[in-house]
Amino acid sequence: MNWLNAYSEELERPQWSAETVAGKAGNAYREPNATGPRVLLNLVLTEADIFQRDSNYVFAVYWSPPPSAVVSTARFKANFYGTTPNRSRLQERIEKQLLTSIGHAARVTRCSDPRCVRAYPASLDEFDAKGSTYCADCQAGMERFLGRSLPSGKGRE
Amino acid sequence: MRYIGISPFLIWLAAAPLIYAQVSTPPSAATSDGASATDGKDTAERMAKAITHAIAAGEDVLALERRDNIAASKQASVVHHTGTLLASAGRDQEALPWLQAAVRLTPHRFDWQWSMAQMQNKLGNSQKAKSLAALVYERAEDGDLISQSAALLGKKPQWTVPPMADTKPGEPVICLTTAGPVQPWLLHAAARSIETRLGVPVRLTGITLDLGKPDRTNAESVTAQARQQIIWDSAFTRQVMKELNIPGEEAATDEDVVTLLATLMLEAGQKKPP
């Protein structure tokens, strides 16, 4: 009956509204003063499982202005699914989501290339299958947002 | 035409009443005999009895392993439990082979590998302990396991992200805030990813947003999905709803939805839909 235990844990798992978290982040945001840094983007990281409206879950939400995103690591972890922990996979997933969310918050147009890290995944399988780097268009969009080139060989293959 | 897709989700949903029943059942090991927990002799007797039971059950699993290691691996927790019981009773030498057997059955349980590392360390086998700790340090996702194994290895990982104050005026940065508790290594990994891939420094705001109470449980999202999957206007669904006294799509409670979907699945397996 192990699968029953696993599913009961799955059903009992708490979830937080991504919009509520985003609202709290918005309220906490303070415009930096003249002597402060130039904030390109506000990023909120959480280990909580988040959802938006009637979705089962979301990996992240983003909004602008100011460019902001909430990224959840909950669905990237092995313990969420009772599968084998793999830290390098977890790190890769988080990195892919960060590159995706930062692109969205930077208002770079949505990408239709499944090889691009910014392609929309409908499941974790699709998430793992998509690429881990920006396509040429997304890289150009990110460079426009940042006002500089991405580190050589890092942003895109 | 396929009436209803038998997806893993539906199987899961159909099991929901069973799951809730199981969750609401009190554990059989509850102390119902009125014995005082502070009675040392009684506690020792209980411990000895628990260990005897655990060894018997564990031996069954190990016997099963010789015939069918796949079936045995599903019960590896029994073997690990025996090891931890023996360890908590101070019977370390006896505990070791059980802990070893548990990780042999489930090598990817890094928390169990860590139990083994601790036991090896306690028994003075520091090389074996370090080898296991290195495995945990490299592979585990859990922050506590990573920190503890790092300590055994004598490592002091620097999982820090510089604060906002560490910036020059006008320097472009990405601000990082946390919502609820976030493991330090995760924060560090996120910041390092951004800096490496985008070439932009990341600074910690020092703000931790209070998540507050959860807005729902996953069960609510699952029932919401079930509502979308049921074909409410089919004659077959209406017939089953009538038999179950479920009033209608709008009036159906979450419990009704789970019952209805489970029944539809069973009926779909037995009858041909109209």
Side-chain angles (χ1 to χ4, degrees), chain B residues 43-44 46-58 77-92 94-96 98-99 115 119 122:
Chain B
T43 306
R46 278 165 189 246
M47 187 68 158
K49 204 179 274 184
I51 289 174
T52 306
H53 282 301
I55 288 174
S77 54
V78 173
V79 177
H80 184 258
H81 178 64
T82 308
T84 51
L85 270 179
L86 285 163
S88 61
R91 294 159 63 175
D92 295 344
E94 287 175 80
L96 187 64
W98 291 97
L99 297 175
S115 301
M119 182 53 74
K122 202 174 168 189

Side-chain angles (χ1 to χ4, degrees), chain A residues 87, chain B residues 114 136-137 140 142-157 159 183-185:
Chain A
R87 192 149 86 249
Chain B
W114 176 238
V136 175
Y137 181 71
D142 180 82
D144 289 340
L145 285 179
I146 301 169
S147 302
Q148 289 166 356
S149 55
L152 198 150
L153 292 167
K155 289 178 188 276
K156 288 181 183 168
W159 291 318
Q183 297 174 34
W185 83 264

